[in-house]
Structures are given as C-alpha cells and as structure tokens.
Amino acid sequence: MTLSLIDILIVGLYLLVCMGAGLWMRRFVRGVEDFAVAGREMDLNLGIASLAATELGLVTVMYTAQLGYEKGFAGATVGVLMAGAMYFVGRTGFVIGPLRRSGVMTIPELFQQRFGTQVRWLAGLFVVLGGVLNMGVFLRVGGEFLVHVTGLPVYWLELIMIGLLAIVLLYTVLGGMLSVLVTDYLQFLIMSVGLVITSMLVIRDIGWNTLMGQLWMSWDGTRADGARLASHPFNPFHPTSLGWGYLLWQALFQVAVVTTWQTQITRVLCAKNEETAKSMYRRASFYFVGRFALPVLFGAAAFAYFASHGGLASGLDSRTAMPAYLAAILPAGILGLVIAAMLAAEMSTDSGYLLTWATVIYNDLLMPCFKKPPAPRTRLLLTRLLVCAIGVFLVFYGLLYELKGNVWDYLAVTGNIYLASVFTLLVAALYWPRANRYGACAALVLGAIGPLTFLIVNARVDAAHQIAPEIAGASSFALAFLGMFAGSWLGSSRAVARASS
Amino acid sequence: MTYFFVFFWTAMIFGSIAWFAALLFYVGAKGGREIVKLRRDLRERNDKGPPA
C-alpha cells in the first residue's frame, strides 16, 4: 500500500467532516420541495460550488485523463466546447430562463403542461434510463482510481465502492438537496485545493517544456525509446485526433448537456430566480475548461512518464495509468489530500445524481399514476426509498457491467439516449408553437435509436466493425429533430382532417 | 498551426489553475456566508409553522 499514516488520517478526517455536514442539514427538510430542490433557496455562490462539484466527479477525472493519455491536450477540447455552451446559455438564458420561470421540479413536468401526461411519463422514462445507465459506471471507475492510487489489492475495489456509496446514501437520504448543497460546498473546496496542488506538482515534476516536447516527439516518431502517440497531441481538428465530425457532434451535444442534463438543470431549478441561474452559468463557464484540461494534463504527463520509464507496467492501461502515475510522484500527506479531493469529487457527483434520478422517478413516473396525491410524509418516504433503490442498483450494475473501450464515449452515448430527444422536446416546447404530442412521442423514440444501437452493436462486434460514437450521437439528434417535425406536421394534419369531418 | 495550439493549451492549463485557485477563495468565502443565511432562512420559515 502506498498510503502513509498521515494520508489515512487526512482521508478519515475528510469523510467524518463531510458526513457530519450532510447530517447537519437533515432537520430542515419538511417536504419533497425541500428534499428535491432545497426549497428554491439556493444563492449564487453556493450554486456555483454545487454545480462545479456535481459535474466534476472522480469518473470525470478518470475519463479525461484517459483522453489526455491517448490524445494529448487535444482531448481537452470537449471542455472548451462545454465552457462556450455554458457561457452562451448563461448570457442568453436559452432554455434555462423559461424553464426556471415555469416553476417545475423536473424537465418532464414541463412537458405535461405542453404535451400531456403520456409524454411526461415517456420522457421521464428516457431521462431515468439514460441517466442511471450513465451513472452505472461511476462506482467502478472511481473504485479503479482508488485501488491504483492507494496500491490496495484489486479485490478491495468492490468494498471501496460499497463503502463510499453507503456514506453518500446516508446523508443524501436524510437531508436531500439541502445536505447535498452543503456537502457539495465542502467538496468543492477540498477538490479545488487538490486539483490546484496536483497540477502544480505534476508540472514541477515533469517540466512544462519537457512535457510539450515529449508529446510532440511521441507524435512525430523521433523519440529514442520508440514510444508513439497515435493521435495529434495538440490539434483536435487533425484527422488522427478528434476530427471535425466528432467536434461538431460535441458542440451540439454540449449545448444539449447544459440545457437538458437533469443534474445540471436541478441547480437552475434550485436557484432563487432566473437571474441567479443565468449568472451561475456565466461565472462557472470557464471552470468547465479546467474540468477537462487539468485531468488531461495528468493523463498526458502519465503518458510521458511511463514512456520514459519503459512503458506501462502489467495490469495498467490508458485508464489506470494516471492514478498509478500520481501514486509514484506525490509525497506523503499530499497524496492523502489528493485522495480526499478525489473522494470529494466522487461523493458530490454520486449524491447529486442519486437525488436527481430519484426525483424524476418519483415526480414523473410515479406521481402521474396516483389518482389522489399521497400525504407529504408518504411522498418524502417514497423519494428516500427511491434514492436507496438506485444505490442498490448501482452496486450491482457496477459489479456486473464490464466497461470496454473509452469511458467518455460510453458516457456521451448513454447520456445521448435522452439528451437528443429531450433537448428536441424542450426547445420545441419552449420555442415552437406548432409542436404537439405526436411530434414529442416520435422525437423521444427516434432520438433513442442511435445510442441504443451503438450500445448493443458495439457490445457484440469486433473493434473494426464498431459504430463511431459521433455517428451514433449525431444521428440521434438528426432523428429526434426529424421525428418532432414529421410527427407534429402529421399530427396537426390529422387533427385538421378530424375537425373537418 | 501547431504553435498556435501549443500556445492555446499553455494558456488554457495555466488559466485553469489560476481560475480554480481564484474561485476557491472567492466562492469559498461567499458560499460559506450563503450557507449560514440559508440555515437562518430555513429556521425562520420552519418556526412560522408547518407547510400549508
């Protein structure tokens, strides 16, 4: 094990403080509105901390470091696109403005006002399916980081996953969004300290000019040790790197993420008012460049480090190289701080996601089925039980699902199951008066076809015949828009024909 | 072209480190005050009585 006593003490202290802070807020919860959207009392800076902490998980650090290891700094381009999308939406209020004004608790709830109960229910199903599948790999990938950075035996992975989840469940189930906001704030602080210190130590260890030089030589094949990078390390538009097709898909995908991804929108809905929500987006936008760029730095540095140390040791791959590299270069004490920071990242993301998906199941799948709304206490109990149920599902899914290939592509494509269709519905509901429920149903179904085909086909065929993620992703947006236009047009023609007969 | 991207990523990495450090202090100080205010507001609301 690479951890010293001081590292273990730092991690233990962090977990205790975090759990205490989460439990501290539980007595203020008196209804589902407090539990799900913190009574809509969230102010600007708390919102920035919560948004930043939730959207930067240990899984984010792992997949972006993997992008850095395989594609160099060009892998951080997705972060630049996301920051641009955040700023654009914060500046214009596109989607988030009318969404916050509507006073809903979830996105599907808005669809009921425009398209009816069936569309709300169907959209809720897609949101939960995409969201929970997306979250399914968080625990395993997070556990992989901890196992490799601490040097613990691999069979500890499952125990670490379950232990982490138990702590998160405890304060999320009791305090809901109020606990999540306070723990997110603490986790934001410790995560930022950890990322800033690690970045400075990585640059000091390898040297900035040396890193840039090594990446370039690995690309043009002039390294003495023969290590090669298959992708251009700096230019994302180069055909060997991400390429135009991937970047265009990502530009659209990121606009959909910042306006539709329910965990992010929950912060908009928790905000005191529309202006607070927009300001939160604008001020947090550049944070999303660092969310990708700093872990990409760790991954690129891990590539350069292992290339000059005889290659990756057995048992390591592009995903686990970064934690092994950090364990090798970070001194005692700092390693504990970094692990606490990464635990903070994991826990804030898990708690935010658990709560969000449970709220959607409660609000959009179960509530429309009740003829008479249950008592407030029953509603709260139901939401808490749903948080626990998702937690149990995550443990089993995390243990059983074996993730092949690039983590980012898996996350982007599973997220796309609902992003493309729900984004189309949201834009149409808010800005297109002719949209109707026929178009909404067609968009939901057609938008999910691309990502589901990607998941099923790629799990069965060899690497040479797999569907590219940008093809699956871009086609789902195109199909969803097509479904909305065609369905709305056919639906309105049918209504006109019925009225005239 | 490559020089442009090398300069761009250098600016992004060092800019991100500086931005994270600045947010840490700014959001750290202001967010802490907002938590205290949030608790006070919730306590006052709950003292007024149960929800309608």
Side-chain angles (χ1 to χ4, degrees), chain A residues 65-408:
Chain A
Q66 186 180 22
L67 283 175
Y69 189 96
E70 292 172 352
K71 299 183 189 305
F73 286 104
T77 311
V78 177
V80 179
L81 293 173
M82 188 171 190
M86 287 279 290
Y87 190 79
F88 164 74
V89 171
R91 190 89 226 159
T92 59
F94 177 62
V95 175
I96 63 166
L99 196 58
R100 177 62 191 86
R101 283 199 300 274
S102 70
V104 295
M105 213 150 56
T106 59
I107 292 172
E109 195 181 336
L110 181 88
F111 297 152
Q112 177 159 24
Q113 297 172 5
R114 184 69 205 278
F115 303 122
T117 308
Q118 286 166 329
V119 173
R120 176 188 185 176
W121 200 88
L122 195 60
L125 187 67
F126 278 80
V127 167
V128 170
L129 183 69
V132 175
L133 276 181
N134 189 270
M135 196 191 173
V137 296
F138 285 14
L139 283 176
R140 174 164 286 278
V141 176
E144 276 179 2
F145 174 90
L146 293 170
V147 161
H148 284 91
V149 83
T150 55
L152 287 166
V154 178
Y155 58 81
W156 275 72
L157 191 143
E158 281 83 14
L159 289 176
I160 290 178
M161 283 163 57
I162 294 166
L164 261 183
L165 188 68
I167 296 172
V168 172
L169 274 176
L170 184 67
Y171 69 74
T172 309
V173 163
L174 292 174
M177 184 51 94
L178 289 170
S179 289
V180 169
L181 283 181
V182 175
T183 51
D184 275 357
Y185 167 76
L186 285 176
Q187 287 154 355
F188 167 79
L189 296 183
I190 191 149
M191 202 171 76
S192 302
V193 171
L195 283 171
V196 168
I197 290 177
T198 310
S199 304
M200 292 195 297
L201 288 176
V202 164
I203 293 172
R204 196 192 69 167
D205 174 69
I206 204 158
W208 183 252
N209 291 333
T210 312
L211 174 62
M212 298 304 241
Q214 287 208 27
L215 288 175
W216 179 252
M217 286 192 296
S218 306
W219 155 246
D220 73 356
T222 52
R223 278 183 77 112
D225 52 29
R228 289 299 301 265
L229 200 58
S231 175
H232 195 296
F234 306 117
N235 182 358
F237 301 102
H238 196 274
T240 58
S241 185
L242 301 171
W244 280 102
Y246 192 93
L247 291 173
L248 283 173
W249 165 53
Q250 276 299 314
L252 181 60
F253 181 81
Q254 294 303 336
V255 174
V257 167
V258 302
T259 51
T260 316
W261 193 240
Q262 185 68 49
T263 55
Q264 212 157 327
I265 288 301
T266 299
R267 270 72 195 165
V268 169
L269 301 174
C270 289
K272 281 196 159 168
N273 50 45
E274 183 189 342
E275 196 39 55
T276 304
K278 283 160 68 177
S279 189
M280 176 178 75
Y281 263 47
R282 285 196 302 274
R283 293 201 196 174
S285 59
F286 192 71
Y287 182 91
F288 285 82
V289 174
R291 173 190 190 253
F292 277 76
L294 298 183
V296 156
L297 164 70
F298 308 159
F303 172 81
Y305 175 86
F306 285 112
S308 52
H309 284 77
L312 281 176
S314 73
L316 292 181
D317 55 22
S318 62
R319 193 157 77 218
T320 50
M322 180 273 291
Y325 164 67
L326 292 185
I329 67 153
L330 295 178
I334 299 292
L335 186 60
L337 184 68
V338 170
I339 292 173
M342 295 303 151
L343 284 177
E346 176 70 18
M347 290 165 72
S348 54
T349 305
D350 288 349
S351 58
Y353 275 55
L354 279 168
L355 190 61
T356 299
W357 308 131
T359 306
V360 175
I361 297 176
Y362 156 78
N363 197 49
D364 303 310
L365 297 185
L366 296 184
M367 282 302 281
C369 300
F370 288 116
K371 281 188 179 165
K372 190 180 149 201
R377 283 174 70 97
T378 316
R379 285 194 238 170
L380 194 56
L381 179 69
L382 203 56
T383 318
R384 284 174 162 152
L385 287 174
L386 285 168
V387 173
C388 290
I390 297 174
V392 173
F393 168 80
L394 289 180
V395 171
F396 285 103
Y397 188 82
L399 292 177
L400 296 176
Y401 185 80
E402 195 190 338
L403 185 63
K404 291 176 189 166
N406 194 304
V407 183
W408 167 243

Side-chain angles (χ1 to χ4, degrees), chain B residues 1-13:
Chain B
M1 193 65 169
T2 301
Y3 285 111
F4 165 76
F5 282 111
V6 168
F7 175 78
F8 178 76
W9 291 122
T10 304
M12 287 298 116
I13 295 289

Side-chain angles (χ1 to χ4, degrees), chain A residues 24 30 34 45-46 185 234, chain B residues 9 28 34 37 39 45 49:
Chain A
W24 185 53
R30 64 175 193 183
D34 289 346
N45 293 289
L46 198 50
Y185 167 76
F234 306 117
Chain B
W9 291 122
E34 286 174 14
K37 185 173 172 294
R39 273 182 62 93
R45 185 202 65 179

Side-chain angles (χ1 to χ4, degrees), chain A residues 480-496:
Chain A
F481 276 105
L482 184 73
M484 175 54 80
F485 282 117
S488 297
W489 182 72
L490 287 173
S492 59
S493 317
R494 206 174 132 186
V496 169

Side-chain angles (χ1 to χ4, degrees), chain A residues 415-426:
Chain A
N416 227 47
I417 290 176
Y418 99 72
L419 275 176
S421 47
V422 175
F423 175 66
T424 308
L425 258 69
L426 204 47

